Amino acid sequence: GESVGLHLPTLSVQEGDNSIINCAYSNSASDYFIWYKQESGKGPQFIIDIRSNMDKRQGQRVTVLLNKTVKHLSLQIAATQPGDSAVYFCAENRSYNTDKLIFGTGTRLQVFP
Amino acid sequence: DAMVIQNPRYQVTQFGKPVTLSCSQTLNHNVMYWYQQKSSQAPKLLFHYYDKDFNNEADTPDNFQSRRPNTSFCFLDIRSPGLGDAAMYLCATSKGTGSIGVNTEAFFGQGTRLTVV
């Protein structure tokens, strides 16, 4: 079945620490994955993406890891800042199915001083 | 400059009264998506267009319809809104795999928050 978001789990971290947010995706045929950040009352904002032929990709302060064997994604945020506080979603794209884009269950990140 | 624009940002409608939400894009993207997002939940895909081809999700109620008259515009019609349809509605666009062989990230609008009274 499709991933359906329920009540959001929360990750609380101290400012300056590293954060790791995990996501399980549902379809082994998905070939492109995106992490989004969503602040209250706003639309999701692109953070980083990764294609299925890769297992790691790095951006500025963020790294995404992909484990296709267990259908798992993670987002690592280095030196977490208060501005990183938001809800984070992974999304899986299925190019074989007209680029259907399905969101996984999100995680609320809270950064405290 | 906003690339995916949703109007209005806030919409109040009466129970059972048809309502239309609009989305426009300046990116010339092939794919346009509509999502429903309720509080503390993930965006739920209602349907999407790949060019003119409409792709409905199996669990999207018949009460929800969509139109895409041209590349730039897409509309979400709720024929008879119920209290359970109160939510944030998000529109997004992406280039589409067909155009360049791989897809790229979807760009989202700021959403329309729908209240049903």
Side-chain angles (χ1 to χ4, degrees):
Chain A
E2 306 290 13
S3 296
V4 177
L6 300 173
H7 296 289
L8 297 171
T10 298
L11 174 66
S12 296
V13 300
Q14 191 164 21
E15 182 178 358
D17 286 353
N18 297 334
S19 302
I20 300 177
I21 299 171
N22 295 303
C23 177
Y25 63 93
S26 61
N27 194 309
S28 58
S30 294
D31 54 2
Y32 174 53
F33 304 89
I34 311 165
W35 278 100
Y36 285 96
K37 173 186 181 183
Q38 188 176 28
E39 297 174 319
S40 181
K42 296 184 178 180
Q45 180 183 9
F46 172 83
I47 302 173
I48 192 168
D49 58 3
I50 189 167
R51 303 199 182 277
S52 58
N53 60 353
M54 304 172 68
D55 52 23
K56 181 178 180 179
R57 189 154 190 240
Q58 287 185 292
Q60 187 176 12
R61 279 203 309 122
V62 293
T63 301
V64 55
L65 300 178
L66 173 62
N67 185 330
K68 294 184 287 293
T69 303
V70 295
K71 293 188 289 185
H72 183 268
L73 277 166
S74 68
L75 176 69
Q76 301 176 2
I77 305 173
T80 313
Q81 301 169 1
D84 295 327
S85 295
V87 178
Y88 291 80
F89 293 100
C90 69
E92 55 183 298
N93 183 90
R94 301 168 192 175
S95 61
Y96 70 92
N97 190 2
T98 63
D99 289 313
K100 183 170 175 175
L101 184 68
I102 298 295
F103 278 72
T105 304
T107 297
R108 186 179 305 279
L109 177 64
Q110 293 180 332
V111 182
F112 57 92
Chain B
D1 290 338
M3 297 176 287
V4 181
I5 301 166
Q6 292 189 243
N7 283 308
R9 288 292 309 277
Y10 302 91
Q11 175 75 56
V12 180
T13 191
Q14 289 181 333
F15 182 94
K17 183 176 181 181
V19 65
T20 295
L21 309 182
S22 72
C23 178
S24 64
Q25 55 138 334
T26 59
L27 299 163
N28 202 35
H29 281 174
N30 294 314
V31 190
M32 293 189 78
Y33 306 87
W34 277 107
Y35 292 87
Q36 179 192 66
Q37 186 176 28
K38 297 189 175 181
S39 181
S40 297
Q41 295 186 18
K44 180 180 181 298
L45 182 63
L46 295 173
F47 25 59
H48 72 290
Y49 280 91
Y50 198 114
D51 293 328
K52 295 181 180 180
D53 294 332
F54 178 69
N55 300 275
N56 198 27
E57 292 301 299
D59 57 355
T60 297
D62 292 341
N63 197 27
F64 291 86
Q65 303 285 317
S66 187
R67 297 169 283 135
R68 189 179 185 185
N70 54 52
T71 299
S72 300
F73 287 88
C74 197
F75 300 98
L76 170 61
D77 301 309
I78 308 177
R79 294 193 295 189
S80 181
L83 298 179
D85 297 328
M88 173 78 90
Y89 290 88
L90 295 164
C91 173
T93 75
S94 69
K95 283 185 180 177
T97 298
S99 60
I100 54 173
V102 293
N103 201 7
T104 54
E105 74 270 25
F107 291 83
F108 281 80
Q110 293 289 43
T112 294
R113 182 164 297 283
L114 179 68
T115 300
V116 182
V117 297

